[in-house]
C-alpha cells in the first residue's frame, strides 16, 4: 500500500492490489456466499482465497515530519472486485481522514456497517459522510453488454445521490490506448491464461492495465491468478521469480525496474508508459523479441514471440481511430471496445456451451427411484467435430486458426474453470430435476411391496437430498422441498413405532 518508486512524485495516487489469503479457515464467516455467488456474474463473485486492497496514497512535503514528507495510505480491504465503488468511496473518505484522522474513520465505519448487503439485481443507496452513493449490483441474468439504466428512482433523496454508472467497469479505452492494435493478441493471451507481466511507470497504470486485461474475457471468468500491483515485498516474490520452473499462469503488474532482470524469463512482457488521454492516438507499442528486453532503459512494447491464432480486426481499430478524430467521449469508445471483446468471447464460447449442453441426460431418463443418470464426459475430439457446422465462424468475422486456439485453450486453467463451473451447474440441475420427479411420483404405491429396510433406506436418502438442496441452494422451488419433507413424514408415519422413534431422532 506504500508506493516505492516515488520519483519525487507528489500528491495523491489511487491503485489496487490483490493478495492471497494465508491458511486457516477459508471464507467460513461468509454464510451468504453461496447465495450471492449464485446470482452474481461469474466475474464479480466474492473471492474465497484472495483479498483485494484498494489504496488511496498521499505524499506531500511537510517540514514538521522527520522525513520531510507526509506519507499515508488509506486501504480498503474486501473480497469483492468492486473497483469503482471502493475507489470512489476512498476519494470521499481519504482526504477527510488525512485531515481529521481516527474520529472521522470511526464515524465512516459505523455508517458502512449499516449498509445493506450487495444483492445482485438491486439498486442500493449507500450513505457516507453526508453523501449517498447510488449503485446497481449487476446480476447474472443481466443481458451481457447492456448498459445499466442511468437514473433510478431517486426517492426524493437529499442531497441528490452520487450515481456510479458501474460498480466495477474501468475506462477500457484509456487503459488500452497504447496497445489498441494488439488487442487481439492480448485477448488470446488472457484466454489461454499465459503468464504475462505488465511493467508500468506507476501503481495506478500497473493495476488498471492488469484489471483491464483480466476483464476483457467477460462474460467468461479469468480463472488464473492476477496481481494488479506486485512488489518485491510480496510473499510470493520468490515463487514468481524462480528460474527453476516455468512461470505460473498469472497476470502480474509491477513498477520496480528491478523486475526487468528478475522476470526476463517470462514469455510475455508488456511495457507501458504513462496513460494519457490526448487528442490523437498515442504511439502504439511495437511487438518485439524478448531478447531485446535485456537493456534496462527498455522502451514501451510487447516483448513476446507469441503468434496469434486469429487475424487482427482492422475495422475495430478504424472505428476507434475515427472516434479519436471526432473527439468521441471515452466512455463511448470504451463501450465499443467492450462490445467487440464481448462478441469475440461469445463467438468462442457459444460452441462450447452448445456441446456441453448436449452432454446432459434427457429429462425422461430421470426416474424417482433410481439415482439420476450421469452427465456424459466432455470429449475434445467430439467437440472439434461439431465446429464444422456450428463453429465461431457463424457469429464472428475474424478469420484464423480457431481449431488451434481451442486446442491450446483446453490446456489452460480457464477451460478447467469454465468446465468445472458448468459441470457443477448441470449436476445441480440434475439434482433439482430428480427432486421434482420424486414429488410427482406415487410414493404410497411404491411402498406397497417394499421391506422396512428399503423404506428406511429411502427416508435416509430423501433426507440427505433435502439437506443438500438447502445447503447448496439448488435451483428447486420451495414448494417442491416442502412436499419432499411431507413425503418423508408420511413414509415415517407408515412405519412401526419403534422405527419412527429412531428415525425422528436420527
Amino acid at each position: 500500500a506504500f508506493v516505492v518508486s516515488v520519483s519525487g512524485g507528489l500528491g495523491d495516487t489511487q491503485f489496487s492490489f490483490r493478495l492471497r489469503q494465508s491458511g486457516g479457515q477459508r471464507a467460513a464467516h461468509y454464510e451468504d456466499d453461496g447465495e450471492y455467488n449464485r446470482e452474481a456474474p461469474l466475474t464479480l463473485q466474492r473471492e474465497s482465497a484472495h483479498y483485494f486492497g484498494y489504496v488511496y496514497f498521499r505524499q506531500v512535503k511537510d517540514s514538521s515530519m522527520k522525513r520531510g514528507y507526509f506519507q499515508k495510505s488509506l486501504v480498503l480491504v474486501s473480497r469483492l472486485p468492486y473497483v469503482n465503488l471502493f475507489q470512489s468511496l476512498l476519494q470521499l473518505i481519504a482526504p477527510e481522514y488525512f485531515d481529521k484522522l481516527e474520529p472521522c474513520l470511526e464515524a465512516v465505519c459505523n455508517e458502512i456497517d449499516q449498509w445493506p448487503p450487495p444483492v445482485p439485481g438491486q439498486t442500493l443507496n449507500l450513505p457516507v459522510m453526508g453523501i449517498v452513493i447510488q449503485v446497481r449490483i449487476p446480476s447474472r441474468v443481466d443481458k451481457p453488454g447492456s448498459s445499466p439504466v442511468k437514473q433510478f428512482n431517486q426517492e426524493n433523496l437529499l442531497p441528490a445521490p452520487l450515481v456510479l454508472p458501474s460498480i466495477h467497469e474501468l475506462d477500457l479505452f484509456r487503459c488500452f490506448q497504447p496497445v489498441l492494435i494488439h488487442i487481439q493478441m492480448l485477448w488470446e493471451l488472457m484466454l489461454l491464461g499465459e503468464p504475462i507481466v505488465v511493467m508500468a511507470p506507476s501503481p495506478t497504470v500497473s493495476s488498471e492495465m492488469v484489471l483491464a486485461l483480466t476483464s476483457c474475457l467477460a462474460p467468461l471468468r479469468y480463472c488464473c491468478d492476477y496481481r494488479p500491483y506486485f512488489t518485491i515485498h510480496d510473499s510470493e516474490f520468490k515463487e514468481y521469480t524462480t528460474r527453476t520452473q516455468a512461470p505460473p499462469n498469472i497476470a502480474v503488474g509491477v513498477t520496480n525496474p528491478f523486475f526487468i532482470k528478475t522476470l526476463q524469463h517470462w514469455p510475455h512482457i508488456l511495457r507501458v508508459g504513462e496513460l494519457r488521454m490526448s487528442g490523437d492516438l498515442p504511439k502504439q507499442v511495437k511487438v518485439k523479441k524478448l531478447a531485446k528486453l535485456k537493456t534496462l532503459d527498455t522502451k514501451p512494447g510487447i516483448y513476446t514471440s507469441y503468434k496469434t491464432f486469429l487475424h487482427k480486426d482492422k475495422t475495430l481499430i478504424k472505428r476507434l481511430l475515427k472516434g479519436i478524430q471526432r473527439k468521441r467521449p471515452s466512455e463511448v469508445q470504451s463501450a465499443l471496445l467492450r462490445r467487440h471483446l464481448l462478441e469475440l468471447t461469445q463467438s468462442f464460447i457459444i460452441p462450447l456451451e452448445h456441446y456441453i449442453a448436449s452432454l446432459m441426460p434427457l429429462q425422461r431418463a430421470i426416474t424417482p427411484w433410481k439415482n439420476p443418470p450421469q452427465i456424459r464426459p466432455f470429449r475434445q475430439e467430439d467437440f472439434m467435430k461439431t465446429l464444422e457446422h456450428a463453429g465461431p465462424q457463424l457469429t464472428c468475422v475474424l478469420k484464423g486458426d480457431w481449431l488451434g486456439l481451442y486446442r491450446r485453450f483446453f490446456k489452460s486453467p480457464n477451460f478447467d474453470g469454465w468446465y468445472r463451473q458448468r459441470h457443477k451447474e448441470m449436476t445441480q440441475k440434475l439434482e433439482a430435476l430428480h427432486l421434482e420427479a420424486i414429488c410427482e411420483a406415487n410414493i404410497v404405491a411404491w411402498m406397497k411391496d417394499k421391506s422396512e429396510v428399503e423404506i428406511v433406506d429411502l427416508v435416509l436418502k430423501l433426507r440427505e437430498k433435502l439437506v443438500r438442496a438447502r445447503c447448496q441452494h439448488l435451483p428447486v422451488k420451495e414448494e417442491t422441498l416442502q412436499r419432499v419433507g411431507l413425503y418423508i413424514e408420511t413414509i415415517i408415519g407408515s412405519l412401526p413405532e419403534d422405527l419412527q422413534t429412531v428415525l425422528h431422532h436420527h
Side-chain angles (χ1 to χ4, degrees):
F2 248 52
V3 180
V4 194
S5 60
V6 182
S7 45
L10 296 176
D12 294 0
T13 311
Q14 284 186 269
F15 57 94
S16 26
F17 58 81
R18 182 171 174 268
L19 50 101
R20 209 179 272 175
Q21 181 185 328
S22 61
Q25 272 309 101
R26 289 223 161 143
H29 47 290
Y30 278 115
E31 300 310 314
D32 61 338
D33 254 11
E35 209 160 328
Y36 169 82
N37 280 353
R38 203 178 66 251
E39 297 182 3
L42 291 175
T43 49
L44 289 182
Q45 288 189 338
R46 201 183 256 122
E47 296 254 356
S48 61
H50 291 86
Y51 289 113
F52 293 96
Y54 302 96
V55 184
Y56 192 110
F57 172 70
R58 172 171 290 179
Q59 168 168 312
V60 284
K61 277 205 164 91
D62 183 343
S63 49
S64 69
M65 300 276 180
K66 203 163 75 185
R67 302 179 61 178
Y69 284 103
F70 170 93
Q71 288 175 309
K72 235 183 183 49
S73 271
L74 185 60
V75 186
L76 188 152
V77 178
S78 170
R79 293 175 180 280
L80 290 163
Y82 294 172
V83 58
N84 274 357
L85 171 63
F86 294 139
Q87 292 291 16
S88 306
L89 183 61
L90 284 173
Q91 281 167 20
L92 298 172
I93 305 169
E96 283 285 302
Y97 162 67
F98 294 146
D99 284 349
K100 302 183 181 139
L101 301 177
E102 266 59 31
C104 147
L105 220 46
E106 200 174 324
V108 163
C109 289
N110 285 332
E111 286 188 290
I112 293 178
D113 276 345
Q114 306 300 312
W115 287 4
V119 177
Q122 283 192 4
T123 295
L124 305 181
N125 293 315
L126 310 173
V128 64
M129 286 175 31
I131 290 174
V132 174
I133 303 176
Q134 192 173 68
V135 288
R136 182 181 179 278
I137 309 293
S139 153
R140 198 176 285 199
V141 294
D142 295 348
K143 215 168 113 267
S146 63
S147 58
V149 194
K150 280 287 179 280
Q151 284 303 314
F152 309 102
N153 174 14
Q154 303 291 2
E155 293 170 31
N156 307 323
L157 290 170
L158 283 172
L162 166 66
V163 180
L164 295 186
S166 160
I167 204 163
H168 65 289
E169 285 180 348
L170 297 155
D171 184 339
L172 267 198
F173 179 65
R174 192 174 54 102
C175 296
F176 284 149
Q177 269 220 84
V179 291
L180 279 179
I181 58 173
H182 308 300
I183 208 78
Q184 182 62 48
M185 175 191 277
L186 292 168
W187 177 83
E188 286 186 23
L189 291 175
M190 297 316 284
L191 179 73
L192 301 173
E194 286 286 310
I196 183 166
V197 186
V198 173
M199 294 185 174
S202 70
T204 312
V205 177
S206 151
S207 56
E208 287 201 340
M209 186 60 105
V210 170
L211 291 174
L213 286 169
T214 54
S215 75
C216 73
L217 295 182
L220 189 64
R221 184 181 185 163
Y222 177 72
C223 297
C224 308
D225 196 355
Y226 59 100
R227 301 302 167 93
Y229 176 52
F230 187 78
T231 74
I232 53 179
H233 305 292
D234 269 273
S235 43
E236 284 86 43
F237 177 73
K238 281 219 166 46
E239 187 184 324
Y240 293 166
T241 51
T242 171
R243 301 275 178 128
T244 52
Q245 61 211 56
N249 299 87
I250 176 174
V252 56
V254 300
T255 57
N256 191 331
F258 173 70
F259 280 108
I260 293 181
K261 256 224 304 280
T262 51
L263 296 179
Q264 62 188 9
H265 60 297
W266 279 43
H268 319 288
I269 292 168
L270 169 58
R271 186 84 200 264
V272 281
E274 275 297 344
L275 296 181
R276 279 186 300 272
M277 281 307 261
S278 52
D280 49 353
L281 190 63
K283 235 168 85 186
Q284 294 292 291
V285 308
K286 295 191 164 53
V287 178
K288 307 177 178 183
K289 290 280 175 285
L290 266 166
K292 292 235 173 92
L293 191 69
K294 299 281 184 280
T295 50
L296 273 173
D297 57 348
T298 312
K299 293 185 174 56
I302 298 180
Y303 294 82
T304 178
S305 54
Y306 180 81
K307 295 272 175 284
T308 55
F309 286 93
L310 306 178
H311 308 318
K312 271 186 192 145
D313 188 344
K314 300 231 171 67
T315 47
L316 171 79
I317 313 292
K318 280 187 189 138
R319 285 184 71 182
L320 292 171
L321 281 172
K322 198 167 258 162
I324 292 173
Q325 287 157 1
R326 295 185 176 162
K327 306 221 181 327
R328 197 186 283 149
S330 188
E331 57 267 27
V332 181
Q333 295 276 71
S334 280
L336 277 174
L337 198 46
R338 196 169 276 114
R339 197 170 72 221
H340 166 79
L341 292 165
L342 176 74
E343 285 167 2
L344 187 53
T345 303
Q346 283 177 326
S347 294
F348 183 81
I349 215 78
I350 285 168
L352 285 161
E353 295 283 358
H354 280 324
Y355 174 72
I356 202 166
S358 74
L359 304 177
M360 184 84 168
L362 295 171
Q363 197 145 352
R364 60 168 180 270
I366 300 168
T367 55
W369 316 123
K370 283 208 209 65
N371 278 333
Q374 296 288 301
I375 297 162
R376 290 195 299 283
F378 190 107
R379 296 210 164 86
Q380 295 180 8
E381 286 316 309
D382 290 353
F383 165 72
M384 297 304 255
K385 286 189 193 116
T386 65
L387 291 175
E388 211 169 313
H389 50 88
Q393 71 280 3
L394 300 182
T395 49
C396 188
V397 291
L398 288 193
K399 300 278 180 280
D401 179 11
W402 286 96
L403 297 178
L405 189 58
Y406 281 114
R407 282 191 204 285
R408 185 93 172 253
F409 176 67
F410 289 141
K411 299 189 180 86
S412 83
N414 289 330
F415 169 69
D416 188 57
W418 171 82
Y419 176 72
R420 276 168 200 250
Q421 172 72 27
R422 297 297 286 116
H423 198 272
K424 184 175 122 189
E425 285 167 6
M426 286 160 73
T427 309
Q428 291 185 343
K429 180 85 178 121
L430 270 178
E431 277 278 309
L433 289 169
H434 195 218
L435 277 170
E436 307 267 337
I438 289 167
C439 269
E440 300 303 313
N442 183 341
I443 288 227
V444 183
W446 177 85
M447 279 164 51
K448 279 208 175 77
D449 55 347
K450 298 293 180 286
S451 67
E452 277 177 9
V453 175
E454 288 175 285
I455 292 174
V456 170
D457 186 52
L458 176 71
V459 168
L460 297 178
K461 274 198 173 129
L462 285 180
R463 263 199 191 151
E464 190 196 353
K465 274 188 164 306
L466 210 51
V467 169
R468 206 165 48 226
R470 293 227 187 268
C471 290
Q472 297 181 357
H473 301 288
L474 291 186
V476 192
K477 293 190 202 77
E478 183 55 38
E479 56 188 302
T480 304
L481 297 179
Q482 285 170 355
R483 276 174 71 185
V484 173
L486 280 173
Y487 270 177
I488 295 174
E489 293 305 312
T490 312
I491 302 170
I492 293 178
S494 72
L495 291 165
E497 264 181 31
D498 55 338
L499 273 178
Q500 287 192 32
T501 318
V502 171
L503 283 171
H504 277 304
H505 284 285
H506 189 79

